[in-house]
Amino acid sequence: MKISNEDFTARKDRKKFIRVVIQLVIIIAVMAIVVNALFTLKSYEAATQRNTKYSGDKGFIALSYFGVEREGNQPLIGVDRLRQHLQALKDLGYVTITQQDIIDYYQSGKDLPEKSVLLMFEDGRRDTAIFSQKILEDLNFKATMLTYPEKFEKKDTKFLMPNELTALEKTTFWELGTNGYRLAFINVFDRYDNYLGELEPLEHAEVAPYLSRKYNHYLMDYIRDEYGVPIESYNRMRTRISYDYEAVRDIYTKSIGYVPGMYILMHSNTGSFGNNDKVSAVNEYWINSLFKMNFNREGFCLNQRNSSIYDLTRMQPQAYWYTNHLLMRIKYDINQDLEFTKGDLEKQKSWEMLKGASEIQEETIILTSLPKENGLMRLKNSNDFEDIKLSVRLKGNKLGLQKIYLRADETLNRFVSVYIFNNFLYVTEKNGGAERELFKLNLDKHDGKESLSIPEDKKAAEIRELETFIKYADSVEKAKIYTERLKNKNLETVPTVTQGAEEYVPALSVHAKGDRRLSISLKNNKVSVMVDDKEAIRDVQVFDAKRGSIYLETAWGGYGWSQRNLADDVYDGVFEKLIITENTGSDKEEILFDSRMQGFAAVKFKAKKMWYALIDFFVANL
C-alpha cells in the first residue's frame, strides 16, 4: 500500500512527539532527584541532644573523602557507595561530632560519645554538596566541607563559592574548613629523574602518569633546583609561605566573615609541619595563629587525648573501597571488635566464612581480606564437586589476589586452583606438599598489549611534559623554546624491545581497576581456562583428585604504586555472576551454584540498571 507524503509526515511527527514526551518525563525525573538532594527540611540534632552512650575515653575516628559524584570514579566516591559506608557506621552506633566537640575534648577535657566520627569532605566540590546532603540528612550526620579560597578568585564552577558555603552552613549539616590557599607542587621529578620544578594542579594532572614520588606540596619545603639545592633564601621562603596563609585569612574574612577553624596541611605526614625544620617553623607559626585544629597526618583514623590538636590524623577512604574494607581498616585502627556488613543474608547461608569478611550484594560476592593477610570462604555442600565448569567476572582491583580453589580438601592441603594475582593468571596444584605452579600468564600480553622499552617510555614522558609546558607557558617566548625542544624530541630515535632495549614494566597502581571474565573447565585430570572469551590455556594436566570443595580467597597484593604513597593493606576481591555447573558434556548439565538474581528479583534488578543507565545518559547529555 502506497503511503502519501502527508501520512508519512504525520507518522514521523507522532514518533517525534512521543520521543520528546519520553525525554521530558526522564528530564523531569532527573530534576526531581536533584531538587530532592538540594531541598532541605531537616535540621541536624547534635549527639548531646540525643540518648548517646558515653563510656570512658575512646577518642574519635576521622574520615575524609576527596569528593562525591553520582557513579563514582577515583578519587571521587559514588553516592551509593558513600551511603553504604555511612549507613554501616550509623548501624554500628557511630555519631558525628563537631569541631567544637574536638576543641572541648582537647582543651577542656570533656568526654566524647563512645563511638564518635568526625566526617570531612575535601576540595570543596559542588557535586560533593549536591550528592552528600541528602545522606547527611537521612542519617543525621554532620560534616566539614574543606575548600581552597584560590578557587573563589578564579570562580571555578566545579567548586563551591562563598555564598554557597554560607547556605550549606545554614542547613545545620555542615561546618567549614580549609585545605589551604591552593593545591600546588614544587620540586617535582618524573620517574626518570627529569626535573620538572613547580606544577599547578592542571599541569600535574597532565603529566601524572609519568611522575615519581619525588615532589613536595607547595608549603612543605624550600623550592629547590634539580640537585636539591634551595634556589630561594630563608626570607624568600618565609615570604612565599606566609603569602598563602595571609591570603587564606584575608579571602575567608572578606567572603564569609571569618577564618574556618579546621585546617589540613596537605601532603604532610612528616612528623612536623614541613620537610625542613625552618619551613616547619614557619608553617607552625601560621597554623597556631589562624586555626583551632590541624590534620597533619593521613592513613590512620584514630585520634586520642595524647595527640596534639594540631597534629591530628585522618583516614581517606577510596572510591573503590567496599563497606567492609572501610570497617576492616577502622577495626584494626581502633583495636576493637565490630560487626561487618553481610548484605543478602539468605545468600550468605550458602557460604562458610573462614577468614576476613564477606558481603553479598545482588549478583556479587565481595570478599574482604584481613590487613596484610587473606580472606577465605567455602561453598557449603560442594565437597563432592568433581568435573565442573565455572564462570565468574572478577572485578577486584588489579593489585591483589582473587583465587578459586577446585576439588579442595578441608585443610587446603590438596587442591587445584586458578587465580589472578597482580594482573597475572596462574594455574596451580597442591597434593600434600608445596603448592606447584603449572601455568602463568601476563594478562597484558593476553590482551595483546605491545611491549614498550624503557627508552620509548622515557621519550613519551618527555614529550608529554614538553606539551604540558607549551600549553601552560606564561609567555610566548617560553612557549617557543618548549616548542623547539618538542620538535627535536619527536625526531629523536630510541631503541625498542625488539632491538634489544630493556622492557618497561610499569608498577601496578593501587587504584588500577580490574575486570576479567574467567571461564574454567575441569574434567578428569585436565584444566582449561578462558579469559575475556579468549583461550588462555587448554588441557593443562593436574593430579587426579576426584572430588573436593570450592573455596574463594582474596589477599593483599602489596602496597603497589601510588603518587601519594597511600598505605592500604586490605583488599576487596569481587566475584560477580559466579556460576558452577556439571561438566559432563551433555546438553543438560546441572547447575550446581548460581549467584545471579532469579525470578522477580532479576526483573527488578535489570529495571534498576536500565533506569540508572537512562539517568546517566541524560545527565551526560543535558
Side-chain angles (χ1 to χ4, degrees):
M1 184 176 66
K2 190 174 180 180
I3 301 175
S4 68
N5 289 336
E6 291 80 4
D7 289 340
F8 178 79
T9 302
R11 290 185 184 183
K12 187 176 178 181
D13 288 344
R14 280 196 298 273
K15 288 180 180 179
K16 185 177 180 181
F17 176 76
I18 292 170
R19 186 167 63 250
V20 169
V21 169
I22 293 172
Q23 289 175 343
L24 283 172
V25 168
I26 295 173
I27 290 170
I28 291 168
V30 171
M31 291 178 64
I33 292 170
V34 174
V35 170
N36 187 47
L38 293 173
F39 193 64
T40 306
L41 292 174
K42 301 176 182 177
S43 295
Y44 174 71
E45 185 181 357
T48 53
Q49 298 174 286
R50 289 172 275 145
N51 186 23
T52 305
K53 186 177 180 181
Y54 292 76
S55 61
D57 179 20
K58 295 185 178 178
F60 66 95
I61 64 172
L63 302 178
S64 186
Y65 291 87
F66 293 104
V68 190
E69 66 175 17
R70 215 192 75 75
E71 282 298 305
N73 186 26
Q74 184 64 26
L76 307 179
I77 193 168
V79 63
D80 289 342
R81 184 70 53 83
L82 176 66
R83 181 177 286 277
Q84 291 163 7
H85 281 195
L86 300 186
Q87 184 65 60
L89 293 175
K90 179 83 170 182
D91 293 343
L92 289 171
Y94 276 92
V95 296
T96 51
I97 54 174
T98 65
Q99 294 177 30
Q100 188 60 50
D101 291 328
I102 293 172
I103 293 168
D104 293 342
Y105 175 69
Y106 282 105
Q107 296 182 355
S108 303
K110 289 187 178 180
D111 287 337
L112 293 171
E114 180 182 14
K115 295 183 177 181
S116 294
V117 56
L118 181 73
L119 186 60
M120 296 170 279
F121 293 91
E122 300 189 36
D123 294 356
R125 294 178 61 96
R126 181 174 278 112
D127 45 7
T128 295
I130 290 172
F131 291 119
S132 58
Q133 176 72 35
K134 188 69 165 58
I135 299 173
L136 297 181
E137 291 179 26
D138 291 346
L139 301 180
N140 191 50
F141 274 10
K142 189 161 189 162
T144 294
M145 179 70 77
L146 294 115
T147 54
Y148 292 103
E150 181 194 37
K151 304 296 184 186
F152 304 165
E153 297 178 311
K154 293 183 176 180
K155 301 190 184 304
D156 191 326
T157 56
K158 292 195 300 292
F159 298 92
L160 293 160
M161 293 295 110
N163 62 317
E164 294 168 315
L165 294 173
T166 300
L168 280 183
E169 282 189 294
K170 289 180 180 178
T171 71
T172 71
F173 290 95
W174 294 95
E175 297 181 279
L176 302 184
T178 182
N179 289 110
Y181 174 60
R182 70 180 106 189
L183 179 63
F185 306 89
I186 59 174
N187 309 330
V188 181
F189 289 81
D190 70 12
R191 59 170 164 259
Y192 296 105
D193 281 334
N194 291 315
Y195 176 73
L196 306 184
E198 299 180 48
L199 295 179
E200 294 294 324
L202 292 176
E203 296 173 308
H204 183 275
E206 296 270 1
V207 300
Y210 298 101
L211 296 183
S212 71
R213 291 195 181 106
K214 291 176 66 176
Y215 76 99
N216 296 113
H217 181 267
Y218 188 76
L219 300 181
M220 294 303 294
D221 200 358
Y222 281 93
I223 296 176
R224 301 176 183 270
D225 64 18
E226 61 266 41
Y227 304 106
V229 178
I231 59 174
E232 59 182 353
S233 66
Y234 168 77
N235 286 335
R236 177 70 188 90
M237 174 274 293
R238 184 180 63 184
T239 300
R240 172 175 62 84
I241 291 176
S242 296
Y243 173 85
D244 273 29
Y245 287 105
E246 290 166 349
V248 166
R249 178 195 62 202
D250 296 344
I251 294 171
Y252 277 118
T253 301
K254 181 180 178 180
S255 60
I256 65 172
Y258 69 97
V259 178
M262 180 190 291
Y263 179 55
I264 292 180
L265 181 58
M266 298 300 293
H267 301 196
S268 183
N269 263 9
T270 62
S272 56
F273 303 98
N275 295 89
N276 173 278
D277 290 344
K278 291 180 179 178
V279 172
S280 178
V282 175
N283 278 310
E284 185 175 12
Y285 166 77
W286 281 106
I287 289 169
N288 281 276
S289 299
L290 292 180
F291 307 111
K292 297 175 182 177
M293 66 190 71
N294 171 51
F295 282 84
N296 206 43
R297 293 172 287 133
E298 59 191 62
F300 298 96
C301 65
L302 180 62
N303 294 276
Q304 296 180 290
R305 283 199 206 275
N306 57 3
S307 299
S308 164
I309 197 170
Y310 289 107
D311 187 32
L312 301 174
T313 181
R314 72 199 190 280
M315 182 186 292
Q316 295 177 295
Q318 303 298 301
Y320 54 84
W321 286 13
Y322 284 85
T323 303
N324 285 334
H325 193 131
L326 173 66
L327 299 183
M328 188 71 73
R329 288 288 305 273
I330 292 173
K331 170 184 167 70
Y332 281 86
D333 271 13
I334 66 176
N335 197 26
Q336 296 176 27
D337 285 333
L338 52 77
E339 188 172 342
F340 292 104
T341 297
K342 291 183 172 59
D344 191 322
L345 296 179
E346 190 62 33
K347 289 189 174 184
Q348 284 280 7
K349 292 177 181 178
S350 297
W351 296 90
E352 179 186 5
M353 193 64 218
L354 300 171
K355 206 171 185 181
S358 70
E359 178 185 6
I360 300 181
Q361 295 180 359
E362 294 163 336
E363 299 183 325
T364 303
I365 300 163
I366 303 111
L367 178 56
T368 301
S369 75
L370 297 174
K372 294 185 181 179
E373 291 189 48
N374 65 331
L376 187 65
M377 60 198 300
R378 185 184 72 87
L379 181 61
K380 294 177 182 178
N381 303 318
S382 66
N383 52 300
D384 288 329
F385 285 9
E386 188 175 354
D387 292 342
I388 63 167
K389 293 176 184 176
L390 184 149
S391 66
V392 66
R393 190 171 179 180
L394 300 179
K395 298 186 73 173
N397 278 10
K398 290 182 179 180
L399 188 74
L401 170 75
Q402 296 173 102
K403 188 169 186 176
I404 300 163
Y405 291 88
L406 312 167
R407 294 180 183 168
D409 66 1
E410 291 183 357
T411 60
L412 291 182
N413 199 39
R414 178 178 53 79
F415 59 79
V416 175
S417 80
V418 179
Y419 61 91
I420 293 177
F421 178 63
N422 291 358
N423 207 38
F424 279 80
L425 173 73
Y426 293 84
V427 178
T428 68
E429 67 176 11
K430 185 176 181 182
N431 189 18
E435 186 172 357
R436 188 165 71 96
E437 182 183 300
L438 303 175
F439 177 73
K440 179 180 178 180
L441 174 64
N442 183 331
L443 291 175
D444 282 341
K445 305 294 185 187
H446 180 76
D447 295 337
K449 188 175 180 181
E450 292 185 7
S451 297
L452 193 69
S453 70
I454 290 177
E456 285 177 308
D457 183 69
K458 184 173 185 288
K459 178 182 175 181
E462 291 167 351
I463 287 173
R464 175 70 65 84
E465 290 154 11
L466 288 168
E467 289 172 341
T468 301
F469 292 155
I470 293 167
K471 184 176 180 179
Y472 295 100
D474 56 10
S475 70
V476 174
E477 289 74 18
K478 283 186 179 180
K480 287 180 179 179
I481 293 171
Y482 293 134
T483 300
E484 186 63 27
R485 290 180 186 175
L486 178 61
K487 179 181 176 182
N488 294 332
K489 180 59 63 176
N490 278 317
L491 293 173
E492 185 179 299
T493 301
V494 296
T496 65
V497 173
T498 56
Q499 293 171 330
E502 184 179 349
E503 182 179 2
Y504 169 67
V505 181
L508 271 181
S509 165
V510 296
H511 307 306
K513 291 182 178 180
D515 189 356
R516 295 287 182 180
R517 295 185 305 278
L518 205 64
S519 299
I520 304 167
S521 172
L522 174 59
K523 189 170 180 64
N524 298 323
N525 63 342
K526 291 183 179 179
V527 173
S528 299
V529 182
M530 303 268 289
V531 178
D532 295 334
D533 302 322
K534 179 181 174 183
E535 185 177 283
I537 184 69
R538 177 187 290 274
D539 291 342
V540 63
Q541 190 159 335
V542 297
F543 76 96
D544 195 12
K546 292 299 182 185
R547 292 177 181 169
S549 295
I550 300 291
Y551 287 77
L552 304 181
E553 183 180 28
T554 61
W556 173 65
Y559 287 118
W561 161 252
S562 170
Q563 175 61 26
R564 301 187 56 222
N565 200 17
L566 295 171
D568 182 24
D569 50 16
V570 172
Y571 181 73
D572 294 324
V574 183
F575 302 83
E576 184 181 281
K577 295 182 180 177
L578 175 61
I579 306 168
I580 305 170
T581 64
E582 290 180 329
N583 192 359
T584 63
S586 69
D587 293 334
K588 294 184 178 180
E589 294 173 328
E590 181 184 351
I591 296 177
L592 304 173
F593 178 82
D594 190 345
S595 73
R596 293 174 299 181
M597 305 291 287
Q598 305 295 328
F600 182 64
V603 175
K604 284 178 60 181
F605 181 57
K606 288 179 181 177
K608 177 181 173 183
K609 291 180 72 174
M610 289 176 62
W611 171 242
Y612 282 166
L614 278 171
I615 291 177
D616 289 341
F617 173 81
F618 279 95
V619 168
N621 292 281
L622 280 178

